[in-house]
Coordinates of all heavy atoms in Angstrom, one line a residue:
M1 N -9.9 12.4 -17.7 CA -8.5 12.1 -17.7 C -8.3 10.8 -18.4 O -8.9 9.8 -18.1 CB -8.0 12.1 -16.2 CG -6.6 11.7 -16.1 SD -6.0 11.5 -14.4 CE -5.8 13.2 -14.0
T2 N -7.3 10.8 -19.3 CA -7.0 9.6 -20.0 C -6.1 8.7 -19.2 O -5.5 9.2 -18.2 CB -6.3 9.9 -21.3 OG1 -5.0 10.5 -21.1 CG2 -7.2 10.8 -22.2
V3 N -5.9 7.5 -19.6 CA -5.0 6.6 -18.9 C -3.6 7.1 -19.0 O -2.8 7.1 -18.0 CB -5.1 5.1 -19.5 CG1 -4.0 4.3 -18.9 CG2 -6.5 4.5 -19.2
R4 N -3.2 7.6 -20.1 CA -1.9 8.2 -20.3 C -1.6 9.4 -19.3 O -0.6 9.4 -18.7 CB -1.7 8.7 -21.8 CG -0.4 9.2 -22.1 CD -0.3 9.7 -23.5 NE 1.0 9.9 -23.9 CZ 1.8 9.1 -24.6 NH1 1.2 7.9 -25.0 NH2 3.0 9.3 -25.0
D5 N -2.6 10.2 -19.2 CA -2.5 11.4 -18.2 C -2.4 10.9 -16.8 O -1.6 11.4 -16.0 CB -3.7 12.3 -18.3 CG -3.8 13.0 -19.7 OD1 -2.8 13.1 -20.4 OD2 -4.9 13.4 -20.0
W6 N -3.2 9.8 -16.5 CA -3.2 9.3 -15.1 C -1.8 8.7 -14.8 O -1.2 8.9 -13.8 CB -4.2 8.2 -15.0 CG -4.3 7.5 -13.7 CD1 -4.8 8.0 -12.5 CD2 -3.8 6.2 -13.4 NE1 -4.6 7.1 -11.5 CE2 -4.1 6.0 -12.0 CE3 -3.3 5.2 -14.2 CZ2 -3.7 4.8 -11.4 CZ3 -2.9 4.0 -13.6 CH2 -3.2 3.8 -12.2
L7 N -1.2 7.9 -15.8 CA 0.1 7.3 -15.6 C 1.2 8.4 -15.5 O 2.1 8.3 -14.6 CB 0.4 6.4 -16.7 CG -0.3 5.0 -16.6 CD1 0.0 4.2 -17.9 CD2 0.1 4.2 -15.4
Q8 N 1.1 9.5 -16.3 CA 2.0 10.5 -16.2 C 2.0 11.2 -14.8 O 3.0 11.5 -14.2 CB 1.8 11.6 -17.3 CG 2.9 12.7 -17.3 CD 4.3 12.1 -17.6 OE1 4.5 11.2 -18.4 NE2 5.2 12.6 -16.8
E9 N 0.8 11.4 -14.3 CA 0.6 11.9 -13.0 C 1.2 11.0 -11.9 O 1.9 11.5 -11.0 CB -0.9 12.2 -12.7 CG -1.1 12.9 -11.3 CD -2.6 13.2 -11.1 OE1 -3.3 13.6 -12.1 OE2 -3.1 12.9 -10.0
L10 N 1.1 9.7 -12.0 CA 1.7 8.8 -11.1 C 3.2 8.9 -11.2 O 3.9 8.9 -10.1 CB 1.2 7.4 -11.4 CG -0.1 6.9 -11.0 CD1 -0.4 5.5 -11.4 CD2 -0.3 7.1 -9.5
L11 N 3.7 9.0 -12.4 CA 5.2 9.1 -12.5 C 5.7 10.4 -11.9 O 6.8 10.4 -11.3 CB 5.6 9.0 -14.0 CG 5.4 7.6 -14.6 CD1 5.7 7.7 -16.1 CD2 6.4 6.6 -14.0
T12 N 5.0 11.4 -12.1 CA 5.4 12.7 -11.5 C 5.4 12.7 -10.0 O 6.3 13.2 -9.3 CB 4.4 13.8 -12.0 OG1 4.4 13.9 -13.4 CG2 4.8 15.2 -11.4
D13 N 4.4 12.0 -9.4 CA 4.3 11.9 -7.9 C 5.2 10.7 -7.4 O 5.3 10.7 -6.1 CB 2.8 11.6 -7.5 CG 1.9 12.8 -7.8 OD1 2.5 13.9 -8.0 OD2 0.7 12.6 -7.8
A14 N 5.7 9.9 -8.2 CA 6.5 8.8 -7.7 C 7.8 9.2 -7.1 O 8.2 10.4 -7.3 CB 6.8 7.8 -8.9
D15 N 8.5 8.4 -6.4 CA 9.8 8.7 -5.8 C 10.8 9.1 -6.8 O 10.6 8.9 -8.0 CB 10.3 7.5 -5.0 CG 9.4 7.1 -3.8 OD1 8.6 8.0 -3.4 OD2 9.4 6.0 -3.4
D16 N 11.9 9.6 -6.4 CA 13.0 10.0 -7.3 C 13.3 8.9 -8.3 O 13.4 7.7 -7.9 CB 14.2 10.4 -6.5 CG 14.0 11.7 -5.8 OD1 13.1 12.5 -6.2 OD2 14.6 11.9 -4.8
P17 N 13.6 9.2 -9.5 CA 14.0 8.2 -10.5 C 15.3 7.5 -10.1 O 16.2 8.1 -9.5 CB 14.1 9.0 -11.8 CG 14.3 10.4 -11.4 CD 13.7 10.6 -10.1
V18 N 15.4 6.3 -10.5 CA 16.6 5.5 -10.3 C 17.2 5.4 -11.8 O 16.8 6.1 -12.7 CB 16.4 4.2 -9.6 CG1 16.1 4.4 -8.2 CG2 15.4 3.3 -10.3
E19 N 18.1 4.5 -12.0 CA 18.7 4.4 -13.3 C 17.8 4.3 -14.5 O 16.7 3.7 -14.3 CB 19.7 3.2 -13.3 CG 20.9 3.3 -12.4 CD 21.8 2.1 -12.4 OE1 21.8 1.4 -13.5 OE2 22.4 1.8 -11.4
D20 N 18.1 4.8 -15.6 CA 17.4 4.7 -16.8 C 15.9 5.2 -16.8 O 15.1 4.7 -17.5 CB 17.4 3.3 -17.3 CG 18.8 2.7 -17.6 OD1 19.7 3.5 -17.9 OD2 19.0 1.5 -17.4
G21 N 15.7 6.2 -16.0 CA 14.3 6.8 -15.9 C 13.3 6.0 -15.2 O 12.1 6.3 -15.2
T22 N 13.7 4.9 -14.5 CA 12.8 4.0 -13.8 C 12.3 4.8 -12.5 O 13.1 5.4 -11.9 CB 13.5 2.7 -13.4 OG1 13.9 2.0 -14.6 CG2 12.5 1.8 -12.6
R23 N 11.1 4.7 -12.2 CA 10.5 5.3 -11.0 C 9.9 4.2 -10.2 O 9.4 3.2 -10.7 CB 9.5 6.4 -11.3 CG 10.2 7.6 -12.0 CD 9.2 8.7 -12.1 NE 9.8 9.9 -12.6 CZ 10.2 10.9 -11.9 NH1 10.0 10.9 -10.6 NH2 10.8 11.9 -12.4
I24 N 9.8 4.4 -8.9 CA 9.2 3.4 -8.0 C 8.0 4.1 -7.3 O 8.1 5.2 -6.7 CB 10.2 2.9 -6.9 CG1 11.4 2.3 -7.7 CG2 9.5 2.0 -6.0 CD1 12.5 1.9 -6.8
L25 N 6.9 3.5 -7.3 CA 5.6 4.0 -6.7 C 5.2 3.1 -5.6 O 5.2 1.9 -5.8 CB 4.5 4.1 -7.8 CG 3.2 4.5 -7.3 CD1 3.2 6.0 -6.9 CD2 2.1 4.3 -8.4
H26 N 4.9 3.6 -4.5 CA 4.4 2.9 -3.3 C 2.9 3.3 -3.1 O 2.6 4.4 -3.1 CB 5.2 3.2 -2.1 CG 6.6 2.8 -2.2 ND1 7.6 3.6 -2.8 CD2 7.3 1.7 -1.8 CE1 8.8 3.0 -2.8 NE2 8.6 1.8 -2.2
E27 N 2.1 2.2 -3.0 CA 0.7 2.5 -3.0 C 0.0 1.5 -2.0 O 0.4 0.3 -1.9 CB 0.1 2.3 -4.4 CG -1.4 2.5 -4.5 CD -1.9 2.2 -5.9 OE1 -2.1 1.0 -6.3 OE2 -2.1 3.2 -6.6
C28 N -1.0 2.0 -1.3 CA -1.8 1.2 -0.3 C -2.6 0.2 -1.1 O -3.3 0.5 -2.0 CB -2.7 2.0 0.5 SG -3.8 1.1 1.6
R29 N -2.5 -1.1 -0.8 CA -3.3 -2.1 -1.5 C -4.7 -2.1 -1.1 O -5.6 -2.6 -1.8 CB -2.7 -3.5 -1.2 CG -1.4 -3.8 -1.9 CD -1.0 -5.2 -1.6 NE 0.4 -5.5 -2.1 CZ 0.6 -6.2 -3.2 NH1 -0.4 -6.8 -3.8 NH2 1.8 -6.4 -3.6
H30 N -5.0 -1.5 0.0 CA -6.4 -1.5 0.5 C -7.2 -0.3 0.0 O -8.3 -0.5 -0.6 CB -6.4 -1.4 2.1 CG -7.8 -1.4 2.7 ND1 -8.6 -2.6 2.7 CD2 -8.5 -0.5 3.3 CE1 -9.7 -2.3 3.3 NE2 -9.7 -1.0 3.6
C31 N -6.7 0.9 0.1 CA -7.4 2.1 -0.4 C -6.9 2.8 -1.6 O -7.5 3.6 -2.2 CB -7.6 3.1 0.8 SG -6.1 3.9 1.3
G32 N -5.7 2.4 -2.0 CA -5.1 2.9 -3.3 C -4.4 4.2 -3.2 O -3.9 4.7 -4.2
V33 N -4.3 4.8 -2.0 CA -3.6 6.1 -1.9 C -2.0 5.9 -2.1 O -1.5 4.8 -1.7 CB -3.9 6.7 -0.5 CG1 -3.2 6.0 0.6 CG2 -3.5 8.2 -0.5
A34 N -1.4 6.8 -2.7 CA 0.1 6.8 -2.8 C 0.7 7.1 -1.5 O 0.3 8.0 -0.8 CB 0.6 7.8 -3.9
V35 N 1.7 6.3 -1.1 CA 2.4 6.5 0.2 C 3.9 6.7 0.0 O 4.4 6.4 -1.1 CB 2.1 5.3 1.2 CG1 0.7 5.2 1.5 CG2 2.7 4.0 0.6
D36 N 4.5 7.3 1.0 CA 6.0 7.5 0.9 C 6.7 6.2 1.0 O 6.2 5.2 1.6 CB 6.4 8.4 2.0 CG 6.0 9.9 1.8 OD1 5.7 10.3 0.7 OD2 5.8 10.5 2.9
A37 N 7.9 6.1 0.5 CA 8.7 4.9 0.4 C 9.0 4.4 1.8 O 9.0 3.2 2.1 CB 10.0 5.1 -0.3
D38 N 9.1 5.3 2.8 CA 9.5 4.8 4.1 C 8.3 4.6 5.0 O 8.5 4.2 6.2 CB 10.5 5.9 4.8 CG 9.9 7.3 4.8 OD1 8.9 7.5 4.1 OD2 10.4 8.1 5.5
D39 N 7.1 4.8 4.5 CA 5.9 4.5 5.3 C 5.7 3.0 5.5 O 5.8 2.2 4.5 CB 4.6 5.0 4.7 CG 4.5 6.5 4.8 OD1 5.3 7.1 5.6 OD2 3.7 7.1 4.1
E40 N 5.5 2.5 6.7 CA 5.2 1.1 7.0 C 3.7 0.8 7.0 O 3.4 -0.4 6.9 CB 5.9 0.7 8.3 CG 7.4 0.8 8.2 CD 8.1 0.3 9.5 OE1 7.4 -0.3 10.3 OE2 9.2 0.6 9.7
S41 N 2.9 1.8 7.1 CA 1.5 1.6 7.0 C 0.8 2.8 6.3 O 1.5 3.9 6.2 CB 0.9 1.5 8.4 OG 1.1 2.7 9.2
C42 N -0.4 2.6 5.8 CA -1.1 3.7 5.1 C -1.5 4.8 6.1 O -2.2 4.5 7.1 CB -2.3 3.1 4.4 SG -3.3 4.3 3.5
P43 N -1.3 6.0 5.7 CA -1.7 7.1 6.6 C -3.2 7.4 6.6 O -3.7 8.0 7.4 CB -0.9 8.3 6.1 CG -0.6 8.0 4.7 CD -0.5 6.5 4.6
V44 N -3.9 6.8 5.6 CA -5.3 7.0 5.5 C -6.1 5.9 6.2 O -7.0 6.2 7.0 CB -5.7 7.1 4.0 CG1 -7.2 7.1 3.8 CG2 -5.1 8.3 3.3
C45 N -5.8 4.6 5.8 CA -6.6 3.5 6.4 C -5.9 2.7 7.4 O -6.5 1.8 8.1 CB -7.1 2.6 5.2 SG -5.9 1.6 4.4
G46 N -4.6 2.8 7.5 CA -3.8 2.1 8.6 C -3.3 0.8 8.2 O -2.6 0.2 9.0
T47 N -3.7 0.2 7.1 CA -3.2 -1.1 6.7 C -1.7 -1.1 6.5 O -1.1 -0.1 6.2 CB -3.9 -1.6 5.4 OG1 -3.5 -3.0 5.2 CG2 -3.5 -0.9 4.2
T48 N -1.1 -2.3 6.6 CA 0.4 -2.4 6.4 C 0.6 -3.0 5.0 O 1.8 -3.3 4.7 CB 1.0 -3.3 7.5 OG1 0.4 -4.5 7.5 CG2 0.9 -2.6 8.8
E49 N -0.4 -3.2 4.2 CA -0.3 -3.8 2.9 C 0.1 -2.7 1.9 O -0.8 -2.1 1.3 CB -1.6 -4.5 2.5 CG -1.9 -5.7 3.4 CD -3.2 -6.4 3.0 OE1 -3.4 -6.5 1.8 OE2 -3.9 -6.8 3.9
I50 N 1.4 -2.5 1.7 CA 1.9 -1.5 0.8 C 2.4 -2.2 -0.5 O 3.3 -3.0 -0.4 CB 2.9 -0.6 1.4 CG1 2.4 0.0 2.7 CG2 3.4 0.5 0.5 CD1 1.2 0.9 2.6
A51 N 2.0 -1.8 -1.6 CA 2.5 -2.3 -2.9 C 3.6 -1.4 -3.4 O 3.6 -0.2 -3.2 CB 1.4 -2.4 -3.9
R52 N 4.6 -2.0 -4.1 CA 5.7 -1.3 -4.6 C 5.7 -1.6 -6.1 O 5.9 -2.8 -6.6 CB 7.0 -1.8 -4.0 CG 8.2 -1.1 -4.5 CD 9.5 -1.6 -3.8 NE 10.7 -1.0 -4.2 CZ 11.5 -1.6 -5.1 NH1 11.2 -2.8 -5.6 NH2 12.6 -1.0 -5.5
Y53 N 5.6 -0.6 -6.9 CA 5.5 -0.7 -8.4 C 6.8 -0.1 -9.0 O 7.1 1.0 -8.7 CB 4.3 -0.1 -9.0 CG 3.0 -0.6 -8.5 CD1 2.2 0.1 -7.6 CD2 2.5 -1.9 -8.9 CE1 1.0 -0.4 -7.1 CE2 1.3 -2.4 -8.4 CZ 0.6 -1.6 -7.5 OH -0.6 -2.1 -7.1
V54 N 7.5 -0.8 -9.9 CA 8.6 -0.3 -10.6 C 8.1 0.1 -12.0 O 7.7 -0.8 -12.7 CB 9.8 -1.3 -10.6 CG1 10.9 -0.7 -11.4 CG2 10.2 -1.7 -9.2
L55 N 8.2 1.4 -12.3 CA 7.6 1.9 -13.6 C 8.8 2.3 -14.4 O 9.6 3.2 -14.0 CB 6.7 3.1 -13.3 CG 5.6 2.8 -12.3 CD1 4.8 4.1 -12.0 CD2 4.6 1.8 -12.9
Q56 N 8.9 1.8 -15.6 CA 10.0 2.1 -16.5 C 9.4 3.0 -17.6 O 8.3 2.7 -18.2 CB 10.6 0.9 -17.1 CG 11.3 0.1 -16.1 CD 11.9 -1.2 -16.6 OE1 11.5 -1.7 -17.7 NE2 12.9 -1.7 -16.0
Q57 N 10.1 4.1 -17.9 CA 9.6 5.0 -19.0 C 10.2 4.6 -20.3 O 11.3 4.1 -20.4 CB 10.0 6.4 -18.6 CG 9.3 6.9 -17.4 CD 9.6 8.4 -17.2 OE1 10.3 9.1 -18.0 NE2 9.2 8.9 -16.0

């Protein structure tokens, strides 16, 4: 899988787009799993360290 393919997959799995095709991705800082926007902790490892990435296309 190329980096481009990986990023496209992330964009596809990201939350609904906001203005101008921007997408927001929420990810656990500890284990890297993608989490839902409303999750307060990671469903896999339990940490509350959730990163929020704003991805612009």
Side-chain angles (χ1 to χ4, degrees):
M1 175 181 284
T2 66
V3 172
R4 182 183 195 98
D5 293 338
W6 178 75
L7 284 173
Q8 185 60 44
E9 186 176 315
L10 284 179
L11 288 172
T12 301
D13 292 342
D15 295 339
D16 291 333
V18 291
E19 293 181 28
D20 301 328
T22 300
R23 291 185 176 263
I24 300 172
L25 175 69
H26 297 84
E27 180 181 81
C28 174
R29 288 183 185 253
H30 181 73
C31 70
V33 71
V35 298
D36 291 332
D38 55 346
D39 286 347
E40 293 183 17
S41 63
C42 176
V44 175
C45 70
T47 188
T48 57
E49 297 180 38
I50 305 297
R52 180 179 179 261
Y53 301 104
V54 178
L55 306 170
Q56 295 180 336
Q57 294 185 9

